[in-house]
Amino acid sequence: MGARMRLTSVETVHEEGSWLFTARDRNGEDEEVILVPCEDGVAAWINRCTHEAQPFDIGRGAPIRNGELICPRHGSMFDTCSGDCDNGPAADTTLPSVDVEVEDGTVYLTDDDFDYLREGGGGTDEDGEDGNDGPDSTSHISF
């Protein structure tokens, strides 16, 4: 498990605001992982809020404002670089990280607990749609 795998460029993550991929963990479970911009490159987090496991990115990019990843359901905000949350229902939690490295502007998956499967989310339903219409928001935060 965990062979070094080229993902994308730092430039792409910064231009698009986030980059989603799917990886398989040690238990054989598929996990969506999101790359987000940081001051010194990128960070990688499991693509779900620690409060109710709501996905941040459902295939249209993650909601990020002022260096914070925002849960679209309840509005908890996580620092994109540290994964820490100090507000909302997810306060005092930290997003589960995935190890990546940047070399010459390219982002590589280097986490021994994950094998890269594909760019994008977890798959499609029988209609060919992404199968995730996203959460019903109860957040007070507007975009």
Side-chain angles (χ1 to χ4, degrees):
M1 275 206 103
R4 180 179 162 109
M5 177 69 188
R6 182 192 182 285
L7 297 173
T8 189
S9 69
V10 172
E11 181 180 9
T12 297
V13 176
H14 281 258
E15 285 178 1
E16 295 182 9
S18 63
W19 196 82
L20 183 66
F21 70 96
T22 303
R24 182 155 294 142
D25 69 15
R26 285 183 178 259
N27 298 319
E29 300 293 322
D30 291 0
E31 288 281 6
E32 290 183 2
V33 180
I34 186 170
L35 297 178
V36 294
C38 281
E39 305 90 27
D40 59 348
V42 300
W45 309 108
I46 298 296
N47 183 37
R48 64 176 174 265
C49 180
T50 55
H51 174 231
E52 286 186 354
Q54 295 293 319
F56 296 105
D57 184 342
I58 59 168
R60 297 184 288 250
I64 297 174
R65 184 189 309 159
N66 298 326
E68 293 185 306
L69 187 59
I70 304 167
C71 175
R73 180 149 177 110
H74 293 113
S76 292
M77 300 185 325
F78 297 82
D79 183 274
T80 56
C81 298
S82 69
D84 295 335
C85 179
D86 64 2
N87 62 75
D92 300 322
T93 65
T94 300
L95 295 172
S97 65
V98 175
D99 295 337
V100 295
E101 290 180 6
V102 174
E103 184 179 308
D104 297 324
T106 301
V107 183
Y108 294 89
L109 174 64
T110 58
D111 198 310
D112 289 337
D113 292 331
F114 292 94
D115 285 324
Y116 176 85
L117 294 178
R118 65 186 160 274
E119 181 177 346
T124 59
D125 62 20
E126 66 253 6
D127 297 325
E129 299 297 319
D130 69 7
N132 188 348
D133 293 328
D136 294 326
S137 179
T138 59
S139 173
H140 64 284
I141 295 176
S142 62
F143 293 95

